[in-house]
Each structure stands twice: as C-alpha cells, then as structure tokens.
C-alpha cells in the first residue's frame, strides 16, 4: 500500500474549510492507503499560543478528526511533539534549504504581515521545512491538503530531490493531492480570503462544533452580491459560488441541481437550504466528538499512534544521519 501523510494544526476549532478541503479526503484515503495523520502542535507554536489552550485544542482537534470518520484501526493518528524525529530532521533539512526559498512562501508573507515585523518568530519563517520533515519521515507517496499548501509541498519535493541528488536516493519524493472542488473554501465575510480557523472574526467561518442556530445565523449573515440569482460564477459571483461549493459538497448534489432548485427564489431560501445541509453534515461529527471527549478514548488512540509513528520515523532519521556523515552511537 502506498503511504499518505498529512497534518492539521491545533490552532483553533476546525472549520468546514479544513473538513471539506482536507479531512474528507483523509477519511477516503484510509480505505486504500497506509495513512499517517498528525496533529501538528509544533507548527501551531510559530505564532503565540496560550499553553493551557494549546493542550486542550490538540486533544480536541484529534477528536474532531476521529469523529469525522478516521478509524484508529485503519490509520495512524498521533501528535507531532510525541515523535522527536520531526524536530531533529527539520534541523538537518534546514541545512539544505535556501533562505531565498523560504522568503518566497506566501503563507509566511501573509502571516508575517499580520504581525509586527520585529516580533515575527524565526519559526514562522522556517516551519515549511518542519513540514517537509513531517512528510519525508514516513516515505510518503501522497499528501492530501487544501490548495493553500501547494507551495509548501513544492518546497518539500525540492528539498527531497536536492537531498537525493547530494547524498544518494534517501527520500520518496511525494505527490500533492488537492481535491478538484473544496480545495479552497473562502471566508463567509470576504470571498477573496480563504476560510481560516484563526481568523479573529468567528462570523468568517463555520466551525465543526458550531450549534445549528449559530450555523443558521452565520450563513444568514454571509456576504453576497446585491443580485438574487443563484448561479455558479467565481469571477462575477465569488460569494454565491463559494456557498454553492459548500452546499454541493455537504449535500452530495451537483451544483447544477442546486442552481435549478433555487432558480428565481433569491438568496434567503438558498441560504436556508444551505444551512440545513451543513447542519446535517456536521450533526454526526458533533455527536461522535462529544462521545469521544467524554470517554477519554482519544488519549489512548494518540498514544498507540505515536508508538507506531516513532518506529518508522526513527528508521528514516537514522538513514538520513548516516547519509549526512553523522557518527552513530556505539
Ligand atoms: N479554507 C480552506 N479550504 C480548503 N482547505 C483548507 N485547509 C485549510 N483551510 C482551508 C486545509 O486544511 C488542512 C489543515 O490545515 P491546517 O490546520 O494545518 O492549517 P492552515 O492550512 O493554515 O488552515 P487554517 O484553518 O487557515 O489554520 P490557521 O488559521 O491556524 O492558519 C490543510 O490541508 C489545509 O490545506
């Protein structure tokens, strides 16, 4: 079986963007691939985090992933900081990554712009290398991610190829896997920025744990154009097109079918139907999540996952250190 790796940051409650863009694919791939999924807590530290909250969110995000359909008997789920090889390989790979390459990463530029220049952490600049380490440790063939991660995946491939050229075949060069629709769900308040769990405006996203009334309210307030035609046209009608994408992915219906249903009915009815489709999608996830959190089962799932991940990661790390000329202990 080919290997899959992907990570999710515990930087807030997952959004429907994370769910449709990434986690739905994770669930599908566990049937056909050997999958490693990781709650990347070290990545979340690149911007200031409250320690107590970070710990809580790490368990919550893991539980949300399992509640979304990840099966502990079919895939490996673990916390990044439980496997030390991630941080160690990251250092080794930083020695082969160019300053200029990291400076071109748009995620860094976007996140750095939101902070005062002098307080931007060095880790925010170098974390794409940690991401490369995460992926390369598991001899990963396929990385399912949202569109926003495409550039980081290209960097991972460049680093792997550079290493293989310099030291001989060591890493599998991974392929990126981005869904045809849903790879970039946009904010509800601004269709030119992607939906993000760390957006300070909660009205900009639907969180996986939002109550039905909150979902109805957020969708009711979602920005639209001033027309009333429910039509998919990302250029002319980016807001309605984004809502149609969410509707289609949640209901399993085609966009044309939804357009036909709301022809001549305006945005209010359309938003009402969309809200119910989202609520129906999230209801089973929310129920499973609350059960998992109450039973405490998530800690055990993560513990078993870390043991399994550690075994593979340490073998890869030893191989890399050997290739680079680091002397092993007796
Ligand atoms: N809006 C989105 N549409 C589709 N996919 C998305 N992803 C994120 N936002 C969207 C995908 O979800 C996976 C997990 O993302 P992450 O938690 O590792 O970090 P991120 O990409 O930075 O996501 P956020 O929600 O925007 O987090 P913050 O606000 O903390 O930066 C990834 O595969 C991502 O592509």
């Amino acid at each position: 079986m080919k290997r899959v790796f992907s990570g999710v940051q515990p930087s807030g409650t997952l959004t429907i963007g994370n769910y449709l863009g990434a986690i739905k694919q994770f669930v599908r791939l566990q049937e056909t691939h050997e999958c490693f999924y990781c709650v990347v807590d070290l990545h979340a530290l690149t911007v200031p985090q409250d320690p107590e909250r970070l710990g809580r969110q790490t368990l919550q995000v893991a539980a949300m992933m399992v509640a979304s359909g990840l099966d502990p008997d079919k895939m490996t789920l673990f916390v990044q900081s439980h496997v030390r090889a991630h941080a160690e390989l990251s250092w080794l790979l930083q020695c082969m990554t160019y300053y200029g390459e990291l400076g071109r990463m748009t995620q860094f530029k976007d996140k750095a712009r939101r902070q005062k220049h002098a307080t931007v952490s060095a880790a925010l600049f170098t974390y794409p290398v940690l991401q490369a380490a995460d992926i390369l440790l598991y001899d990963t063939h396929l990385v399912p991610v949202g569109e926003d991660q495409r550039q980081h995946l290209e960097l991972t491939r460049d680093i792997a190829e550079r290493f293989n050229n310099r030291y001989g075949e060591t890493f599998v060069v991974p392929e990126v896997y981005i869904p045809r629709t849903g790879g970039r769900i946009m904010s509800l308040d601004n269709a030119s920025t992607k939906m993000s769990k760390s957006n300070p405006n909660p009205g900009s996203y639907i969180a996986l744990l939002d109550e039905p009334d909150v979902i109805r309210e957020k969708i009711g307030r979602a920005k639209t154009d001033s027309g009333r035609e429910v039509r998919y046209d990302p250029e002319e009608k980016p807001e309605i097109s984004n809502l149609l994408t969410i509707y289609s992915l949640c209901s399993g219906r085609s966009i044309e079918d939804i357009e036909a249903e709301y022809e001549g009915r305006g945005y209010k009815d359309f938003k009402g139907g969309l809200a119910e489709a989202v609520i129906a999608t999230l209801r089973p996830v929310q129920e499973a999540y609350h059960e998992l959190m109450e039973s405490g089962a998530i800690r055990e799932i993560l513990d078993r996952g870390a043991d399994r991940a550690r075994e593979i990661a340490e073998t890869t790390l030893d191989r890399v250190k050997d290739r680079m000329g680091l002397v092993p202990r007796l």
Side-chain angles (χ1 to χ4, degrees):
M1 272 209 256
K2 292 207 162 177
R3 287 244 175 94
V4 163
F5 178 95
S6 200
V8 177
Q9 287 192 68
S11 43
T13 305
L14 297 186
T15 70
I16 198 143
N18 300 127
Y19 178 77
L20 299 175
I23 292 172
K24 261 182 89 164
Q25 276 57 253
F26 296 2
V27 173
R28 218 155 34 77
L29 287 165
Q30 70 182 344
E31 304 299 335
T32 49
H33 289 68
E34 186 186 9
C35 297
F36 289 82
Y37 298 125
C38 185
V39 183
V40 288
D41 52 350
L42 299 177
H43 285 279
L45 289 175
T46 54
V47 296
Q49 299 286 348
D50 171 66
E52 194 267 323
R53 199 155 147 216
L54 178 63
R56 197 176 55 235
Q57 280 174 185
T58 300
L59 298 178
Q60 287 173 339
V61 164
M64 277 179 244
M65 292 168 78
V66 175
S68 301
L70 291 183
D71 179 346
D73 292 328
K74 292 186 180 162
M75 53 89 229
T76 301
L77 178 67
F78 66 102
V79 176
Q80 186 185 30
S81 63
H82 292 178
V83 182
R84 293 193 174 152
H86 288 247
E88 199 172 338
L89 181 62
S90 172
W91 176 257
L92 300 177
L93 297 182
Q94 277 181 56
C95 300
M96 341 216 351
T97 307
Y98 307 135
Y99 183 85
E101 283 176 313
L102 294 176
R104 285 196 290 276
M105 296 294 118
T106 51
Q107 289 243 355
F108 168 73
K109 288 195 258 185
D110 286 351
K111 287 191 175 172
R113 206 177 300 126
R114 285 187 236 141
Q115 295 177 45
K116 286 198 190 90
H117 186 71
T119 62
V120 171
S121 72
L124 191 61
F125 188 65
T126 58
Y127 87 89
V129 188
L130 177 60
Q131 194 175 346
D134 299 338
I135 295 165
L136 298 177
L137 274 175
Y138 297 91
D139 291 335
T140 302
H141 298 96
L142 206 62
V143 188
V145 283
E147 181 65 47
D148 61 323
Q149 295 299 326
R150 186 189 289 280
Q151 196 186 25
H152 289 169
L153 258 294
E154 274 160 19
L155 178 70
T156 298
R157 288 170 55 84
D158 288 346
I159 294 173
E161 279 167 1
R162 189 174 305 148
F163 194 102
N164 288 348
N165 285 337
R166 197 176 296 174
Y167 296 108
E169 254 350 90
T170 305
F171 291 125
V172 172
V173 181
E175 302 286 337
V176 62
Y177 177 80
I178 297 172
R180 232 176 305 136
T181 46
R184 193 169 167 80
I185 301 294
M186 308 312 280
S187 290
L188 299 182
D189 61 343
N190 180 353
S192 64
T193 59
K194 74 158 191 144
M195 188 181 282
S196 237
K197 61 175 120 60
S198 61
N199 190 317
N201 173 17
S204 69
Y205 57 78
I206 295 167
L208 286 200
L209 301 180
D210 277 347
E211 296 287 336
D213 281 348
V214 175
I215 295 174
R216 288 188 193 102
E217 194 186 323
K218 284 183 177 179
I219 291 179
R221 289 195 180 164
K223 192 171 170 235
T224 56
D225 53 73
S226 55
R228 58 189 314 276
E229 193 190 358
V230 178
R231 178 167 52 85
Y232 186 82
D233 182 344
E235 293 294 313
E236 296 287 318
K237 299 170 85 67
E239 295 90 0
I240 290 294
S241 302
N242 186 42
L243 297 180
L244 268 167
T245 302
I246 298 173
Y247 202 152
S248 166
L249 291 169
C250 285
S251 63
R253 293 167 57 194
S254 71
I255 288 190
E256 296 75 24
D257 189 28
I258 301 167
E259 285 172 338
E261 180 183 346
Y262 291 99
E263 196 178 339
R265 291 174 57 189
Y267 294 159
K268 189 159 180 278
D269 275 5
F270 167 67
K271 283 180 161 184
L274 167 62
E276 296 316 309
V278 171
I279 291 165
T281 299
L282 298 189
R283 189 176 297 122
V285 176
Q286 296 180 350
E287 284 169 4
Y289 169 81
H290 291 302
E291 260 176 47
L292 266 164
M293 290 306 279
E294 274 158 32
S295 71
I298 197 66
R299 296 296 292 247
E300 270 171 46
I301 295 172
L302 292 173
D303 229 52
R304 261 188 288 140
D307 285 342
R308 165 124 186 76
R310 206 176 292 143
E311 231 176 79
I312 295 172
E314 282 180 3
T315 307
T316 312
L317 183 63
D318 286 346
R319 188 168 76 223
V320 172
K321 286 162 95 172
D322 178 60
R323 297 278 153 86
M324 294 181 94
L326 299 175
V327 177
R329 282 185 60 177
L330 266 185

